[in-house]
Amino acid sequence: MPDEYLPPNRVLFIQNLPTDVTQAVLQELFGQYPNLSDVRTIAAKKDIAFVEYLDEDSATVAKDALHNYKLDGENKIKITYARK
């Protein structure tokens, strides 16, 4: 199943991040939306991250607001629900 069609859940999968993005930048960006629980970056793959919210509704609000956001002013980030 393509990532775009995964069912909603509390964890978002973030792709196409600038390779120099920090966990702090992501926490600030996703922290604009209520109930942020955790931001996990992947050391071996710097262009992806996982962002977790306390509930599915909060994750959905952040996903809808930030999908295709240009974090570096150039490249759009892709946000889908994480696979369970």
Side-chain angles (χ1 to χ4, degrees):
M1 178 184 304
D3 290 346
E4 292 80 26
Y5 300 110
L6 291 170
N9 68 73
R10 301 177 316 133
V11 182
L12 302 176
F13 178 48
I14 318 302
Q15 300 173 77
N16 203 35
L17 289 169
T19 54
D20 61 347
V21 74
T22 64
Q23 190 166 347
V25 167
L26 293 175
Q27 282 189 287
E28 186 175 321
L29 179 66
F30 286 90
Q32 297 175 80
Y33 302 92
N35 301 317
L36 178 65
S37 171
D38 190 24
V39 174
R40 296 184 301 278
T41 53
I42 312 300
K45 192 136 171 61
K46 298 187 181 302
D47 63 336
I48 65 170
F50 293 91
V51 176
E52 185 172 349
Y53 284 86
L54 296 176
D55 57 76
E56 191 178 290
D57 289 341
S58 298
T60 299
V61 168
K63 176 185 175 292
D64 291 346
L66 294 173
H67 181 66
N68 288 327
Y69 180 79
K70 293 182 179 178
L71 194 58
D72 61 0
E74 218 171 283
N75 300 306
K76 295 176 182 176
I77 60 174
K78 178 181 176 185
I79 304 174
T80 56
Y81 295 108
R83 292 181 186 274
K84 288 188 174 183

